[in-house]
Amino acid sequence: MSKLSNLDIEEIFRQDAQKIIDARKRSKVIHATSDIKASGNEVEHSVRDFLRSRMPSNFYVGHGHVVDCNQQTSPQFDVLISDNTFIPILLRTNDSTEYFPCESLYAIGEIKSTYNKSEKPIEKFCENLKLVKENMKREEVFNTAYKGEFSDSTLMRDMILQKNNKVLNAIYSFMLFVDSEKFDISEFNDCYKKYGNKYLPNHIILLDRGVVFFGKITESQMIFERYPEYDENEENEWILSAFGLNEEKEKAGNHLGFLYYNLLEHMNSSLLEPINLMPYFNSLFTGRKSKMIKIKNSV
């Protein structure tokens, strides 16, 4: 008699996580040759390959810089995810560095093979996020039907779409450390005091240890708040926790799955309008009237 079989989701993500861990092992071998850039690229490539293999085709995964309509350009990011249905990137250089229009951006990520407190990785990422969120032109689009609440200003668009996000074009940010044995929570606390929730990454994935998330733990469940900067619940706080009930199994796959789930939920709950490209190209179309020549067509 035939019966239904089970798909082991945990094992699938465990294998994906192992590929990233193996990439770190290769990076250590390469690092020993003093090729530090190539060493770092091993892990970054592995994470981006994982995301590309799991993302629907309407999302684009790359790396590089964010550009706004005033041509201001961000520092380089290891992972950038954008809308692939219109203009995912403006430019790709010969070394595969890409330039992403600010309005098309869904998510920003930073990948580190090893946590090294002396490099202040969380603080540096917070500084770069602050540059993007504070100085680059990208107006927030608020959900006028958030939590099903309607008013005179509620848009028909939001009533029909019924998205879950308070800000429809919020940027989701994350960090991923493959080896976090020396992770020092004091650096995170210092960044929280300095930057608050607005410029901290939404989640920090410590692949071998757990996940840093914002929320609360009750007697029966963990409650996650995906967007700490917009959260007004004073009961929520930052928590570091490992995931997985089976103590004998590696947890890295669970932590990677947590990142994947939150990225998908974020993008499916977001709304990005088509980009107005004219501001990006205005400078190309500027001319002097005195230099213009009228062409008369003969009949």
Side-chain angles (χ1 to χ4, degrees):
M1 182 177 179
S2 61
K3 62 178 182 178
L4 296 175
S5 56
N6 294 325
L7 175 64
D8 192 343
I9 298 292
E10 284 189 53
E11 180 58 30
I12 290 173
F13 281 100
R14 194 173 297 115
Q15 291 178 15
D16 288 330
Q18 188 60 51
K19 292 177 183 177
I20 296 172
I21 294 169
D22 290 342
R24 179 182 177 275
K25 293 177 181 177
R26 289 195 303 274
S27 76
K28 291 176 69 176
V29 174
I30 297 170
H31 192 277
T33 68
S34 299
D35 193 340
I36 297 174
K37 182 177 180 181
S39 170
N41 286 343
E42 281 294 306
V43 177
E44 293 172 23
H45 280 304
S46 181
V47 174
R48 288 195 294 268
D49 286 346
F50 159 73
L51 292 173
R52 290 190 187 106
S53 70
R54 292 280 185 266
M55 290 293 162
S57 61
N58 53 319
F59 302 121
Y60 182 87
V61 179
H63 68 107
H65 306 269
V66 183
V67 183
D68 71 3
C69 61
N70 295 323
Q71 300 182 17
Q72 297 183 108
T73 305
S74 76
Q76 185 159 340
F77 291 105
D78 297 335
V79 177
L80 292 168
I81 302 177
S82 65
D83 180 9
N84 201 29
T85 60
F86 187 52
I87 303 291
I89 61 172
L90 293 167
L91 170 69
R92 181 184 293 110
T93 63
N94 287 334
D95 69 352
S96 298
T97 299
E98 297 163 321
Y99 292 79
F100 291 69
C102 196
E103 295 92 335
S104 74
L105 200 62
Y106 280 106
I108 296 175
E110 182 76 6
I111 310 301
K112 294 292 183 183
S113 174
T114 304
Y115 176 84
N116 188 340
K117 184 182 179 181
S118 64
E119 296 177 354
K120 297 184 177 180
I122 300 175
E123 181 174 358
K124 288 181 180 178
F125 189 53
C126 289
E127 282 291 337
N128 290 340
L129 284 178
K130 185 176 181 181
L131 284 173
V132 172
K133 292 185 175 184
E134 193 168 281
N135 299 327
M136 303 192 81
K137 187 172 181 181
R138 176 186 166 109
E139 295 183 5
E140 292 181 320
V141 178
F142 286 91
N143 185 353
T144 60
Y146 181 56
K147 292 185 176 180
E149 297 178 1
F150 301 153
S151 67
D152 292 341
S153 60
T154 298
L155 300 177
M156 183 64 70
R157 174 201 68 190
D158 298 339
M159 293 174 62
I160 294 173
L161 293 175
Q162 295 185 9
K163 297 285 186 178
N164 296 324
N165 289 357
K166 181 177 182 179
V167 176
L168 293 172
N169 64 338
I171 296 175
Y172 176 86
S173 59
F174 67 93
M175 300 188 77
L176 187 149
F177 296 93
V178 181
D179 178 3
S180 63
E181 181 181 356
K182 297 181 180 179
F183 178 73
D184 191 338
I185 203 165
S186 65
E187 188 206 356
F188 180 87
N189 288 333
D190 290 342
C191 289
Y192 176 71
K193 293 175 184 176
K194 184 175 181 179
Y195 300 102
N197 287 341
K198 186 172 184 179
Y199 304 122
L200 281 170
N202 298 52
H203 293 122
I204 299 179
I205 311 301
L206 309 175
L207 202 61
D208 58 340
R209 184 172 175 182
V211 174
V212 179
F213 66 92
F214 191 69
K216 63 181 179 180
I217 301 176
T218 69
E219 292 183 359
S220 59
Q221 62 180 333
M222 291 183 181
I223 300 175
F224 308 101
E225 172 52 57
R226 192 172 296 115
Y227 308 100
E229 66 180 293
Y230 302 120
D231 183 66
E232 299 176 354
N233 188 342
E234 295 181 355
E235 295 181 1
N236 287 337
E237 58 185 343
W238 286 100
I239 299 167
L240 167 58
S241 176
F243 296 146
L245 297 177
N246 192 329
E247 295 297 331
E248 297 179 358
K249 290 187 177 181
E250 294 292 331
K251 303 294 192 301
N254 300 60
H255 305 150
L256 188 63
F258 177 91
L259 172 63
Y260 173 70
Y261 167 80
N262 278 282
L263 276 169
L264 280 188
E265 284 295 295
H266 162 68
M267 293 183 291
N268 288 328
S269 299
S270 299
L271 175 67
L272 299 185
E273 299 286 358
I275 303 172
N276 177 13
L277 287 175
M278 182 54 72
Y280 286 89
F281 293 92
N282 262 339
S283 61
L284 298 179
F285 307 145
T286 302
R288 293 183 179 180
K289 187 176 181 181
S290 59
K291 298 290 185 179
M292 295 182 182
I293 300 174
K294 292 184 179 180
I295 300 176
K296 295 182 179 180
N297 295 324
S298 57
V299 179

